[in-house]
Amino acid sequence: DAGVTQSPTHLIKTRGQHVTLRCSPISGHKSVSWYQQVLGQGPQFIFQYYEKEERGRGNFPDRFSARQFPNYSSELNVNALLLGDSALYLCASSLAQGAPWNSPLHFGNGTRLTVT
Amino acid sequence: AQKITQTQPGMFVQEKEAVTLDCTYDTSDPSYGLFWYKQPSSGEMIFLIYQGSYDQQNATEGRYSLNFQKARKSANLVISASQLGDSAMYFCAMRVGASGGSYIPTFGRGTSLIVHP
């Protein structure tokens, strides 16, 4: 079975531009979440979606938005890019059945975004 | 609020030796899960091991074991017989079962493990 897939792998953008990152969860997983990981830190939660509904939002500005599609894939959009948005963006999926708190997150390989 | 603390920025271990990576957590929720992830330099986060707050026994997965001390709120990862391929960043994470919550995970800052030949 395929794991979580993210695209693109790397991306270079200029300040002020917009970017869309994509994620396909493991087959059967209905929950997708997004994380930003800057160098030297752990992942920071951005969004969680379950059954196409937003279930959580981290402390990120409104320039960050996301959505989940009927096939459970997801997009993360960032508008008006800043230099500080340069980071590894990770997508994770989980079964989210029963007690989700005991469901491990399965991560993709991430998208490395560089804003110049 | 939930918090994960990893106090060891870097650890060194000799190949074939065992190493313990520390993790302490803080939550008031009785239902929670603790996870360890490995992140090689390539970037992917690899799930290693899980421990639930209601589990009576410490979790084990191959060379990985979790030393769960609930009263001390610690969940240390033990890697036995270290291999060169174990060199990576290791993150401790927690998800809590808050009622109506979105089970948002909290990650520590990570520990960099270097295995020497």
Side-chain angles (χ1 to χ4, degrees), chain A residues 4 25-32 68 71-72 92-96 104 106:
Chain A
V4 178
I26 292 173
S27 177
H29 285 193
K30 299 181 179 180
S31 176
V32 171
Q68 187 177 32
N71 65 355
Y72 303 110
S93 73
S94 64
L95 282 171
H106 298 274

Side-chain angles (χ1 to χ4, degrees), chain A residues 35 37 40-43 45 48 55-57 88 90 94 100-109 112, chain B residues 31-33 35 37 39 41-45 47 50 54 91 95-97 101-105 107-108:
Chain A
Y35 304 83
Q37 185 180 20
Q41 295 186 20
F45 171 78
Q48 183 187 43
R55 293 291 301 272
R57 172 186 282 258
L88 178 68
L90 293 162
S94 64
W101 52 268
N102 63 1
S103 297
L105 296 171
H106 298 274
F107 286 85
N109 289 348
R112 290 193 184 275
Chain B
S31 303
Y32 54 88
F35 306 84
Y37 289 87
Q39 188 176 42
S41 56
S42 52
E44 75 267 33
M45 295 279 282
F47 166 67
Y50 158 81
Y54 300 112
F91 291 94
R95 302 181 82 182
V96 299
S102 57
Y103 315 109
I104 296 169
F107 286 84

Side-chain angles (χ1 to χ4, degrees), chain B residues 99-116:
Chain B
S99 58
S102 57
Y103 315 109
I104 296 169
T106 302
F107 286 84
R109 293 180 66 92
T111 295
S112 174
L113 176 66
I114 296 176
V115 180
H116 289 299

